[in-house]
Amino acid sequence: MSARTRPERIPQLGRTAPGSALAPTRRTLLAGAAAGGALLLTGAAGCATGGAAGTDAKQIGATPTGTLAGKLTIWSWDVAAKAMQRLGKTFEQRHPGTTVDVLDIGYENAYDKITVGLGAGSGLPDVLTVEGHKVPGYLGTFPGALVDLTGRAQGLKDKYPEATWRAVTDTKGRVYALPWDSGPCALFYRRDHFQQAGIDPATLATWDDYLTAGTALKAATGKKLLILDAKKDTTFGMLLQQQGQAWFVDGKVAVATPAAERALTLLKQLVDRDLVDFEDGWDGLVSGTHDGKAATAPTAAWWDGTLTGDLADLKGRFGVVPLPAFTPGGCRTSNSGGSVLCVPAQSANPELAWAFLDFLLADRANQASMMQHEGLFPAYLPALDDPYFQQPAPYYADQPVMKLFAELARTVPAVERTADDTKAGDIVTTAVNQVLHNGADPGTALRSAARQIATATGRPPVS
């Protein structure tokens, strides 16, 4: 589904870049970058996942009622829609008398349509595809608009990484969606550039190692170390989650913390050493990568879809290692992206909707199938044990890269998501740009951003 949510960084799913409506990528996953968001959603402040949302929500009981029958309508887009159209036929065969109708509504206007429908209380299908980071905002803005799935879903909690499960639950542990795909992060690197510079990528254990290697690599090859979006880059959020934090901690504004300052200082050091190639949006990222402007890309598993689909001529030139850690022995992954399926309270057949969610997202074979056919990296942990993830990948000189991502997916730090994430992310983006493009001091810029977020959300800063 997509890779992140920013249209600037990730265009539309599939042949267009995921999570946006712009450029190309074949099998990208539905996105969920913390700083992303196509529209502003506001909600009750002070709650980790959307406050009082779901107080009066329609619930699905623990026991199925009646025979599954009727028509199920679903909204999605691109490869996500294709996956459900393909497997929907299998669902219909297993449950005679049912029909699965998947409508590809396109990413560009998807959230306008969804938000209007949630606000009006009418006009939505039985099942919605949304990016995981959107759920807290919807819970905070539209209490009761999504079906409470806790009665059926609570037993699945241990089948998903905590980081993804947290996004679909409120502060009381009620479940309002099932995770679909995720975006565990690692470091993609150009084998030929590293070989030319005489650098072993396995030695990049920390970000300090990465900085040192970048300087040597640039001197030997003339290549920059990585590409950042010139306007709305999301790498800062990835680096923050790697340290176990997002914009808020315990409901308080946490963008002026030591972890945040470490992350932004790292990015400034990369810029100060002339190791960053700034490009505009998704098109710039893809073309810059194809042209070999940078030797690495710290990003998520969905980047594989773009490389193998749109940069097939570079077969054999890439490898993957875990992200460098901030401290020796520290966490070596993060998350960028991920989507979920939820059931609007308007659904005419919530029992059938739940049966389809369970069939599609809590089934090892189906999740592995969507990885193989549509490139959707499973959030469902049992699927990661499928033999597919052990196979050598010819594109990466037979390195079994999905085995590495499957291992990393189990260790992604869980962070707090709130209804105010989009609002905070917009302010943080401005602060990051001030540091990377205008030379502002990271600590000063982040403290200013924290004050602005506190004012905008009514949340106190972390003391």
Side-chain angles (χ1 to χ4, degrees):
M1 299 166 93
S2 115
R4 294 186 185 165
T5 106
R6 314 201 81 115
E8 300 81 7
R9 182 87 180 217
I10 300 288
Q12 213 170 25
L13 294 174
R15 264 294 175 210
T16 34
S20 148
L22 308 180
T25 140
R26 169 121 218 130
R27 302 179 309 160
T28 27
L29 327 165
L30 234 187
L39 66 137
L40 184 64
L41 296 175
T42 57
C47 299
T49 52
T55 302
D56 302 313
K58 180 188 295 185
Q59 299 180 3
I60 287 188
T63 304
T65 59
T67 302
L68 295 179
K71 181 178 181 179
L72 185 69
T73 58
I74 303 172
W75 282 3
S76 191
W77 57 89
D78 208 78
V79 292
K82 292 175 182 177
M84 287 189 284
Q85 290 165 353
R86 179 174 61 84
L87 288 172
K89 294 180 175 63
T90 303
F91 183 83
E92 292 171 346
Q93 293 170 357
R94 292 187 184 180
H95 303 284
T98 65
T99 301
V100 179
D101 183 13
V102 181
L103 178 62
D104 186 337
I105 61 173
Y107 181 85
E108 187 171 5
N109 299 313
Y111 289 112
D112 289 340
K113 293 176 182 291
I114 292 171
T115 302
V116 169
L118 289 173
S122 62
L124 294 180
D126 296 297
V127 176
L128 290 172
T129 305
V130 299
E131 294 157 314
H133 75 281
K134 298 282 189 183
V135 176
Y138 283 141
L139 293 179
T141 307
F142 305 108
L146 300 179
V147 173
D148 181 348
L149 306 174
T150 310
R152 305 287 172 83
Q154 59 186 353
L156 296 173
K157 179 179 179 180
D158 293 339
K159 303 295 185 180
Y160 298 92
E162 183 184 355
T164 56
W165 190 256
R166 184 176 293 190
V168 302
T169 59
D170 68 5
T171 53
K172 296 183 179 180
R174 293 173 293 199
V175 185
Y176 290 92
L178 275 190
W180 186 340
D181 61 278
S182 63
C185 295
L187 187 70
F188 292 79
Y189 69 91
R190 283 286 296 262
R191 294 180 182 275
D192 48 347
H193 295 170
F194 273 76
Q195 289 171 358
Q196 183 180 346
I199 300 172
D200 181 358
T203 63
L204 305 183
T206 68
W207 288 112
D208 286 339
D209 296 333
Y210 183 71
L211 283 165
T212 300
T215 300
L217 191 145
K218 184 171 180 288
T221 68
K223 305 294 184 180
K224 301 292 179 73
L225 196 50
L226 76 166
I227 295 172
L228 295 181
D229 191 305
K231 297 177 181 178
K232 295 184 177 181
D233 192 75
T234 57
T235 305
F236 174 70
M238 181 195 73
L239 294 172
L240 194 55
Q241 181 167 359
Q242 184 183 3
Q243 300 175 80
Q245 190 195 305
W247 309 142
F248 301 96
V249 172
D250 296 331
K252 299 179 180 179
V253 182
V255 301
T257 61
E261 190 164 347
R262 276 193 295 272
L264 191 49
T265 297
L266 169 61
L267 292 177
K268 187 175 188 301
Q269 289 175 320
L270 288 164
V271 172
D272 290 346
R273 298 187 188 190
D274 194 28
L275 300 178
V276 173
D277 174 55
F278 285 104
E279 299 289 345
D280 289 331
W282 179 260
D283 287 337
L285 172 63
V286 174
S287 62
T289 300
H290 182 270
D291 294 342
K293 292 184 177 181
T296 73
T299 189
W302 44 256
W303 186 231
D304 165 75
T306 299
L307 294 180
T308 59
D310 296 313
L311 284 71
D313 57 315
L314 298 181
K315 178 180 177 180
R317 300 189 192 182
F318 287 91
V320 185
V321 293
L323 289 181
F326 276 91
T327 57
C331 176
R332 299 198 61 180
T333 191
S334 185
N335 186 81
S336 177
S339 59
V340 305
L341 291 182
C342 54
V343 182
Q346 306 166 27
S347 172
N349 200 337
E351 284 286 345
L352 185 60
W354 166 257
F356 185 75
L357 264 63
D358 187 53
F359 160 82
L360 191 76
L361 306 184
D363 182 279
R364 168 176 164 164
N366 286 340
Q367 281 277 32
S369 169
M370 289 187 286
M371 178 68 212
Q372 295 180 52
H373 291 281
E374 287 84 26
L376 303 176
F377 193 91
Y380 188 63
L381 292 174
L384 300 181
D385 294 325
D386 188 90
Y388 174 82
F389 291 90
Q390 308 300 315
Q391 297 175 7
Y395 186 85
Y396 301 93
D398 288 334
Q399 179 188 357
V401 296
M402 288 305 152
K403 177 181 179 181
L404 173 60
F405 279 113
E407 294 168 351
L408 295 174
R410 302 175 189 276
T411 64
V412 172
V415 297
E416 187 171 321
R417 299 302 183 193
T418 81
D420 291 322
D421 279 2
T422 298
K423 190 180 297 184
D426 290 341
I427 294 171
V428 168
T429 295
T430 299
V432 170
N433 285 342
Q434 290 173 344
V435 172
L436 301 189
H437 300 301
N438 300 328
D441 173 69
T444 302
L446 290 171
R447 287 189 290 273
S448 175
R451 290 191 294 269
Q452 294 175 56
I453 295 170
T455 299
T457 64
R459 296 172 181 265
V462 171
S463 55

